[in-house]
Amino acid sequence: MQCWRNSFPPTASIGLSRMRNPSFEEYSLLPKDGASALDLNDGYREQRKTSSWRVSGWTIALCSLFVLVDIAIYLRIRHILPGMDLQPTELPIQNPYIGLDELYSLTDVKPSKFDPLINVPILATQISRAEPDKAFPVDTHQWLSDYGTLSPPDRNLHVTDTLHTIVQFHILDWGMEQCALTVRLPARDATLPHEYELKDTRGTIRLDICELDAARPLNPLNLTWKKHPKCVKHVGTIDARVGEEVQLEPFSCQTGTFRAFEVSCSPDMPNCGVNVWSNHDDTWGLYLTQYQTV
């Protein structure tokens, strides 16, 4: 028996394999020349660099467009709202009681009747002729509780021959727009939680009250004898009596407005003196009594 040996060359074997297997994949060796390989790598890098520059360019263009649109919107809003640079204390005060004036002036609606109310100052501080640059502290009775710092509604009326008191009120209640400045003093032997000093003539203390040029909230840190608002109108002279409540003539006080006053000894009683504190139980010193006007 004679055996035959496959004597086909390698290339022929590969060719036969391709013919037998149609899915045969062919691999090619990379060129042995190093320069050709470097050319391929450089081409790939150049392609990536070009693509990266293209993406970066579009990104910069879009960001620039967004910035320009934001600037245009800001300038438009600034043009529409010229008052946007105003400080909070300079913003106009709007009336929260919308339509009530028309309701009661154009209809037969009868409002309820209300008793006079007491409006205590939102600010009460002192200025001194002897210390013209001193800004007196406010809220000196605040105290630290388990829930934080509390500020009681204590207001100080302190007037001497060299010391004046400045008070400011905020008129809040609509339809209660007739106001009267009121001074109420305790009796001599009254037991009070705070100091009470009185230098009077036969139980009467004559105080001068003038209205200040202050249509906006005052900053107590800027209130000194030299820098406090000027007096624009003498409101009147009040003869405060020990143990009694005394009022000046009522005046019109529009809701939403601020009114500030300076209290001093009357020129015909220059050596007067009073130092009294209001508290959460009783209202002493100077306050406004508001009366119903609708």
Side-chain angles (χ1 to χ4, degrees):
M1 183 173 180
Q2 199 174 22
C3 295
W4 294 92
R5 183 181 175 186
N6 186 359
S7 59
F8 291 107
T11 54
S13 298
I14 295 173
L16 290 173
S17 299
R18 290 178 182 172
M19 292 172 63
R20 295 193 186 106
N21 187 4
S23 62
F24 183 85
E25 295 183 2
E26 182 179 359
Y27 295 90
S28 299
L29 296 176
L30 291 174
K32 295 181 179 180
D33 187 2
S36 299
L38 290 175
D39 290 341
L40 290 174
N41 291 334
D42 289 344
Y44 177 70
R45 291 195 188 95
E46 188 65 28
Q47 184 179 3
R48 288 195 61 184
K49 184 177 180 181
T50 303
S51 176
S52 176
W53 275 106
R54 188 179 295 114
V55 172
S56 300
W58 279 109
T59 304
I60 294 173
L62 287 175
C63 290
S64 301
L65 178 61
F66 289 147
V67 170
L68 292 175
V69 170
D70 287 343
I71 293 175
I73 294 174
Y74 171 77
L75 293 176
R76 178 61 178 169
I77 294 175
R78 187 181 178 88
H79 176 73
I80 295 175
L81 302 175
M84 64 188 307
D85 290 334
L86 292 176
Q87 297 297 321
T89 55
E90 299 175 350
L91 293 174
I93 301 172
Q94 303 298 331
N95 181 14
Y97 304 101
I98 300 173
L100 290 185
D101 288 325
E102 291 79 4
L103 175 65
Y104 288 105
S105 62
L106 301 178
T107 66
D108 295 331
V109 176
K110 299 298 182 182
S112 302
K113 295 299 180 182
F114 297 96
D115 294 330
L117 58 86
I118 292 176
N119 187 348
V120 297
I122 60 173
L123 170 69
T125 188
Q126 284 70 45
I127 56 175
S128 173
R129 183 190 298 115
E131 301 174 279
D133 295 316
K134 178 180 179 179
F136 283 71
V138 295
D139 202 12
T140 56
H141 288 173
Q142 64 175 244
W143 57 285
L144 184 63
S145 71
D146 294 336
Y147 305 99
T149 302
L150 298 180
S151 297
D154 298 348
R155 302 292 184 265
N156 184 212
L157 174 64
H158 192 182
V159 176
T160 66
D161 56 342
T162 61
L163 199 68
H164 295 185
T165 290
I166 291 179
V167 295
Q168 187 173 43
F169 300 92
H170 189 190
I171 314 301
L172 290 173
D173 298 272
W174 183 87
M176 305 290 289
E177 299 172 78
Q178 194 76 6
C179 298
L181 285 165
T182 307
V183 176
R184 181 170 178 250
L185 297 180
R188 292 184 185 277
D189 56 352
T191 301
L192 302 174
H194 308 300
E195 59 183 323
Y196 175 38
E197 299 174 358
L198 201 60
K199 186 179 180 181
D200 61 290
T201 301
R202 298 179 180 178
T204 300
I205 300 173
R206 179 163 292 179
L207 301 174
D208 260 12
I209 302 177
C210 73
E211 185 167 6
L212 301 179
D213 183 15
R216 308 295 297 192
L218 293 172
N219 183 356
L221 300 179
N222 295 331
L223 287 178
T224 65
W225 184 273
K226 286 185 177 180
K227 297 191 296 185
H228 75 283
K230 65 179 180 180
C231 179
V232 294
K233 181 176 65 175
H234 181 258
V235 178
T237 300
I238 188 168
D239 289 328
R241 290 185 288 273
V242 176
E244 296 184 25
E245 177 183 288
V246 183
Q247 292 184 1
L248 288 177
E249 287 294 323
F251 57 91
S252 176
C253 52
Q254 184 179 358
T255 181
T257 58
F258 292 87
R259 308 293 288 268
F261 303 92
E262 181 178 349
V263 187
S264 60
C265 288
S266 176
D268 56 358
M269 191 181 287
N271 295 322
C272 79
V274 60
N275 184 15
V276 63
W277 286 85
S278 65
N279 55 70
H280 65 280
D281 293 324
D282 293 295
T283 303
W284 306 109
L286 180 68
Y287 54 89
L288 279 180
T289 303
Q290 293 184 227
Y291 297 93
Q292 187 172 355
T293 53
V294 293

